[in-house]
Amino acid sequence: MSFLNYAQPVADSLSHQQRPKIGLVLSGGGAKGFAHVGVLKVIDELGIPIDYIAGTSMGSIIGGFYAIGYSAVDIEKIILDQNWEDLLSDHVSREFVPIYEKKDFERYILSFPIKPKGIELPRGIVGGQNVINLFERLTINYHNQTDFKKLPIPFLCIATDLETGEAVVLDKGYLPQAMRASMAIPTFFAPIEIDGKLLADGGMINNFPVKELINMGADIVIGVDVQAGAKSKKELKSLLDIINQTASLMALNNFKDNLKYCDIYIKPKIDEYTVGSFQDADSLIRRGEVVAESFIPTLLELKDKYKLEKSVVKAYVPPCDSTTFFLKDIEVEGLNEVSYSLLAGKLNLATNSRFSLTQLQDGIKRVYGSRYFDHVDFKMRGEEEKSLLVNVTERTTKRFNVGLHYDSDNNAAVILNTTFRNKLRSGSRLSFDLKLSENPRFKTTYTIDNGLKPGLNVEAEFNDSEVYVFENGKKLASYDFNYLKFDVNTHSIFKESYLFGLGGKIEYYNINSEFSIPDILDARDDDYFFSYYAFLNLDSHDKAYYPKTGMSLYGEYKLVTNNGISVDGMERPASVAYVKFQKAISVSPTFTIYPKFYGRVVWGKNIPNFYMSYTGGVDQTDYFDIQIPFVGLERMEVASTNSFVFRADFQYELFRNNYLILKANAGKLNDDVDEALRHGEWIKGVGLTYSYNSIIGPIEFTLMYSDRKSGISNYVNLGFWF
């Protein structure tokens, strides 16, 4: 039992005091810091008063919450309620991402800012957006308190100045920001700037701030240490091990010195856990509780000797999501190139009116989800009437993105993307895509988002693809298919997930082959068309891949001409209608049913082959709006004027990020709409997919069968779709 002899020195120095002041120091240690909560639970149960708290890294977070009035049980609930994978990332739900950004939201595996000196790596893997927002939410009633000595329990935490390498004591300022700075593990979390200093994890220099606690006024120090000791080279097996070892070695001398002044030293037995064991929170809390229980005699001796009684600290009850506030005004700091109107539109809070905490949280998520900012945090000031201060860090307006993909139909491909924002006007987005593969593609897009007010989208695209002609499931010929498009539309966006608009496009098609197949395609054929269209796009899926909630709908009606008025040989334009509908129905946490419908109808005479409906292929690309996916058929295998496909995916999550999916579809194809629906040919297909949702995108292997061909075929997909 680690119990240093405090009794005589304290008795001598406190002859004229009512009782000694008890200080609590909590070390850093990543997820292992959850053990602090178990120790605090025992301290609470024994009624031991805590007069001062000092913490580093995870110790600063738990200590900060405890200092404003959260009980150990409250903090335990907070920890166990978190989705740590999302919290320790900058992930924002697709619900808060504008619909025109959703298709790019999970598309690239690498993204770099382009600075004047070229492409630069970020300061950390994670910016900490979700962490700071959680801290702000949980401390909202203490945003006004800038002196941490005046908190219900005086508090300080330790950070490291990256410029000087010195420890920085944070005992004033903005509490959420101080806690966030103290836990900024180098390379993983980006450091943050406070008072002109670039601050990171305090554990690099002082991971056990006992002396600082004594300087606050503590007479007796209870120290809880969750640090890992130095590991041997054989034990350094991961990046987290290396980071933790580096921080531990740098702080080792300070720790040994601080330990001399610690009166009660508690070290939970958690060697088998790592700084990244966030999914073991309940076990770590229990480990802390077990070791603290072994100190009950020591703590009771302390309590009885000095007749200690727990200080009356008002329990902190944070506002619930439905709590409302009166908003007096809004201030924004950090805007340079992005307009205030864009931010205010995303925030969607009216001054001189009441708003709920949910509305505020959703507004912050929409601002961050707009992709114009790397960082968005908030501060509430005032008593009855609130002033809202929103602080933003604008996202570098130039970014370079990289994606990788392979599938059985299109083979390997790399996409290189550069995206520029706020070109010509605030709120704009200019993007260039270059797909490098056997079938290259180039696309440039310029978009202006005005919310409900009409916005603008301009696209130019070139696509060089290879298509095949099939008969009875066998390839008869291969054609080089070139597609060139210039598209302009105006659109309105509603609640980030709904988009509707009107547009026009010029399309040029060219088919080229060494030979032709009579009655199917000429060896060489090309033409251009003018089209007018109206469209509706909806996407409320929680995830782009393997969603469990939400739906998506894309519907388009297009008038096709080759002279702006009609098609050759006709007195009117041809008509094309296309619809794609998908809905995720969560039956249980692991089982989701995903019904889908694809339909494409063409009306008119002398319809060119370019506008036929081509059914087949598992891929989710939108290279051509003439393609209808169908499990069991090869890409664009069956050509018809009209195609209707009904499909259902039965998705079961075997274990985390591993899925088994049964895909069943049936379709009717015909050259006449009425005939297709009433007497058209039914085709049927089924597939079974095993999938792993990796950090580079889905890794899928599918076995599939169709009644249009004999035997079982397979399909492989690796990486995000683009």
Side-chain angles (χ1 to χ4, degrees):
M1 181 178 297
S2 298
F3 174 37
L4 307 183
N5 184 17
Y6 59 82
Q8 187 61 42
V10 171
D12 292 342
S13 63
L14 296 176
S15 57
H16 302 293
Q17 295 184 20
Q18 184 177 2
R19 70 165 179 83
K21 298 295 184 181
I22 310 300
L24 176 69
V25 61
L26 305 175
S27 80
K32 294 188 292 184
F34 293 152
H36 290 317
V37 180
V39 176
L40 285 174
K41 288 175 70 175
V42 173
I43 288 175
D44 279 353
E45 290 166 3
L46 296 178
I48 303 294
I50 299 298
D51 300 295
Y52 303 101
I53 301 176
T56 300
S57 198
M58 183 61 80
S60 74
I61 298 168
I62 293 169
F65 289 148
Y66 196 73
I68 65 173
Y70 282 102
S71 70
V73 173
D74 293 333
I75 300 172
E76 178 182 38
K77 185 176 187 305
I78 291 170
I79 290 171
L80 297 180
D81 283 348
Q82 299 310 310
N83 180 329
W84 287 96
E85 183 176 349
D86 283 347
L87 185 63
L88 298 175
S89 72
D90 295 321
H91 172 77
V92 62
S93 171
R94 293 178 83 250
E95 174 187 357
F96 302 103
V97 178
I99 191 165
Y100 59 85
E101 296 270 10
K102 290 183 192 288
K103 65 180 180 180
D104 291 342
F105 191 52
E106 294 176 0
R107 186 184 187 201
Y108 308 116
I109 60 172
L110 297 172
S111 180
F112 306 100
I114 303 175
K115 300 289 182 67
K117 294 183 180 180
I119 296 173
E120 292 185 3
L121 294 175
R123 286 176 167 177
I125 298 172
V126 177
Q129 173 67 24
N130 292 335
V131 167
I132 191 69
N133 285 171
L134 176 68
F135 294 170
E136 289 165 340
R137 161 74 174 83
L138 294 174
T139 64
I140 196 166
N141 288 344
Y142 283 92
H143 287 189
N144 283 333
Q145 185 53 267
T146 59
D147 187 350
F148 303 164
K149 298 185 186 72
K150 295 180 180 179
L151 294 174
I153 301 176
F155 169 75
L156 66 79
C157 59
I158 306 297
T160 299
D161 186 332
L162 289 178
E163 189 174 14
T164 65
E166 296 177 349
V168 177
V169 175
L170 299 173
D171 58 4
K172 61 181 181 298
Y174 185 38
L175 182 60
Q177 193 177 54
M179 295 159 64
R180 164 67 179 83
S182 181
M183 60 156 285
I185 301 171
T187 70
F188 185 77
F189 277 110
I192 66 173
E193 187 173 329
I194 299 178
D195 296 332
K197 298 177 179 179
L198 191 63
L199 303 181
D201 194 321
M204 291 188 290
I205 304 298
N206 187 356
N207 206 25
F208 202 57
V210 176
K211 288 183 180 179
E212 288 74 14
L213 195 68
I214 293 172
N215 290 337
M216 290 179 77
D219 300 303
I220 296 173
V221 175
I222 301 172
V224 186
D225 177 20
V226 296
Q227 303 173 84
K231 293 185 176 183
S232 68
K233 61 182 180 181
K234 292 182 179 180
E235 294 174 306
L236 298 175
K237 299 178 180 179
S238 69
L239 176 62
L240 283 175
D241 289 336
I242 299 295
I243 293 172
N244 195 42
Q245 179 91 329
T246 302
S248 297
L249 292 175
M250 292 174 66
L252 184 60
N253 289 334
N254 262 334
F255 169 71
K256 291 178 179 178
D257 190 34
N258 275 304
L259 186 59
K260 299 174 186 176
Y261 301 93
C262 183
D263 298 297
I264 300 177
Y265 176 66
I266 301 174
K267 187 167 182 62
K269 296 179 180 179
I270 49 176
D271 290 343
E272 66 268 38
Y273 297 94
T274 71
V275 293
S277 298
F278 291 95
Q279 304 307 321
D280 298 313
D282 52 348
S283 299
L284 283 160
I285 292 171
R286 181 56 189 156
R287 288 292 184 94
E289 201 168 355
V290 168
V291 72
E293 287 170 349
S294 70
F295 278 81
I296 288 177
T298 303
L299 294 170
L300 287 178
E301 179 188 347
L302 174 66
K303 182 178 180 181
D304 293 341
K305 183 176 182 65
Y306 295 106
K307 297 180 174 54
L308 301 178
E309 293 183 4
K310 187 167 178 62
S311 305
V312 179
V313 176
K314 184 179 179 181
Y316 179 60
V317 181
C320 62
D321 290 344
S322 60
T323 302
T324 62
F325 308 89
F326 184 85
L327 181 60
K328 181 182 178 182
D329 53 50
I330 301 173
E331 299 177 38
V332 180
E333 293 182 354
L335 287 181
N336 293 302
E337 297 189 12
V338 180
S339 68
Y340 175 83
S341 60
L342 185 147
L343 185 147
K346 299 295 182 185
L347 195 60
N348 194 28
L349 296 176
T351 56
N352 295 314
S353 63
R354 301 196 72 82
F355 68 97
S356 70
L357 188 55
T358 294
Q359 288 175 298
L360 172 60
Q361 291 177 299
D362 288 353
I364 295 295
K365 290 174 183 176
R366 281 193 298 271
V367 174
Y368 181 69
S370 71
R371 317 295 280 173
Y372 284 91
F373 305 98
D374 281 328
H375 177 83
V376 184
D377 66 56
F378 69 92
K379 183 187 296 184
M380 297 268 282
R381 299 180 298 194
E383 299 301 330
E384 296 300 323
E385 296 183 348
K386 299 290 186 181
S387 292
L388 176 64
L389 173 63
V390 179
N391 182 60
V392 300
T393 302
E394 291 186 352
R395 190 177 180 88
T396 301
T397 58
K398 305 171 186 176
R399 297 194 74 85
F400 176 70
N401 308 298
V402 180
L404 303 173
H405 185 81
Y406 171 85
D407 66 71
S408 300
D409 287 337
N410 299 288
N411 297 325
V414 175
I415 188 169
L416 305 178
N417 168 271
T418 51
T419 298
F420 306 87
R421 297 181 185 274
N422 305 313
K423 293 296 182 182
L424 301 182
R425 59 156 289 175
S426 177
S428 66
R429 177 177 179 271
L430 175 63
S431 177
F432 297 93
D433 282 353
L434 176 61
K435 176 191 170 191
L436 303 176
S437 70
E438 294 177 0
N439 302 308
R441 181 190 188 206
F442 176 79
K443 181 179 181 180
T444 181
T445 306
Y446 182 75
T447 302
I448 297 175
D449 171 21
N450 289 327
L452 273 176
K453 296 179 181 179
L456 177 69
N457 188 78
V458 180
E459 290 184 6
E461 178 181 353
F462 172 75
N463 201 327
D464 182 2
S465 187
E466 187 176 24
V467 296
Y468 299 95
V469 175
F470 295 84
E471 187 174 278
N472 298 324
K474 295 182 179 180
K475 293 178 182 178
L476 296 183
S478 171
Y479 286 80
D480 186 33
F481 180 48
N482 294 321
Y483 173 64
L484 184 63
K485 177 185 76 172
F486 181 75
D487 185 344
V488 179
N489 71 62
T490 181
H491 58 266
S492 294
I493 300 173
F494 179 66
K495 287 188 176 180
E496 313 303 322
S497 295
Y498 304 82
L499 182 148
F500 55 91
L502 301 170
K505 65 179 78 172
I506 301 173
E507 297 171 290
Y508 171 78
Y509 296 87
N510 176 271
I511 291 179
N512 192 0
S513 181
E514 295 300 320
F515 57 89
S516 63
I517 297 180
D519 301 324
I520 299 180
L521 288 172
D522 294 328
R524 300 179 186 276
D525 196 5
D526 67 324
D527 207 345
Y528 62 89
F529 300 88
F530 299 92
S531 302
Y532 314 97
Y533 65 98
F535 65 98
L536 170 67
N537 194 1
L538 181 157
D539 186 348
S540 63
H541 284 309
D542 59 331
K543 296 183 290 186
Y545 298 91
Y546 317 109
K548 294 185 177 181
T549 62
M551 62 177 287
S552 64
L553 170 68
Y554 182 81
E556 179 180 294
Y557 177 74
K558 179 165 63 176
L559 295 174
V560 180
T561 78
N562 56 9
N563 58 15
I565 301 174
S566 63
V567 176
D568 287 346
M570 296 176 58
E571 296 181 355
R572 60 175 185 234
S575 294
V576 180
Y578 173 73
V579 64
K580 176 175 68 174
F581 172 80
Q582 305 174 100
K583 181 175 176 60
I585 303 171
S586 183
V587 178
S588 74
T590 57
F591 183 56
T592 304
I593 300 176
Y594 203 23
K596 305 181 182 185
F597 171 73
Y598 305 92
R600 192 170 186 277
V601 178
V602 183
W603 296 277
K605 299 178 181 178
N606 301 323
I607 301 298
N609 287 317
F610 311 121
Y611 285 96
M612 297 282 282
S613 299
Y614 293 86
T615 304
V618 181
D619 62 76
Q620 305 174 34
T621 61
D622 58 356
Y623 296 161
F624 308 113
D625 60 6
I626 58 178
Q627 180 185 355
I628 301 292
F630 193 92
V631 177
L633 297 179
E634 293 194 48
R635 178 173 172 267
M636 300 173 68
E637 181 172 335
V638 181
S640 62
T641 304
N642 307 295
S643 176
F644 304 93
V645 174
F646 303 87
R647 173 171 158 182
D649 292 0
F650 301 89
Q651 173 182 297
Y652 182 72
E653 189 170 10
L654 298 168
F655 45 94
R656 188 174 180 80
N657 288 327
N658 286 262
Y659 299 87
L660 191 64
I661 308 171
L662 177 65
K663 303 175 180 179
N665 49 201
K668 272 196 171 185
L669 316 177
N670 203 282
D671 290 337
D672 180 89
V673 178
D674 290 334
E675 285 297 314
L677 292 173
R678 296 176 185 175
H679 309 295
E681 174 190 4
W682 276 104
I683 58 173
K684 295 175 282 293
V686 64
L688 184 64
T689 298
Y690 182 84
S691 178
Y692 171 59
N693 191 19
S694 73
I695 60 173
I696 64 168
I699 300 176
E700 300 178 326
F701 178 75
T702 301
L703 295 175
M704 55 187 183
Y705 169 79
S706 169
D707 60 359
R708 289 281 302 222
K709 57 204 318 178
S710 61
I712 295 176
S713 57
N714 64 73
Y715 182 82
V716 176
N717 169 67
L718 306 173
F720 296 120
W721 291 99
F722 51 74

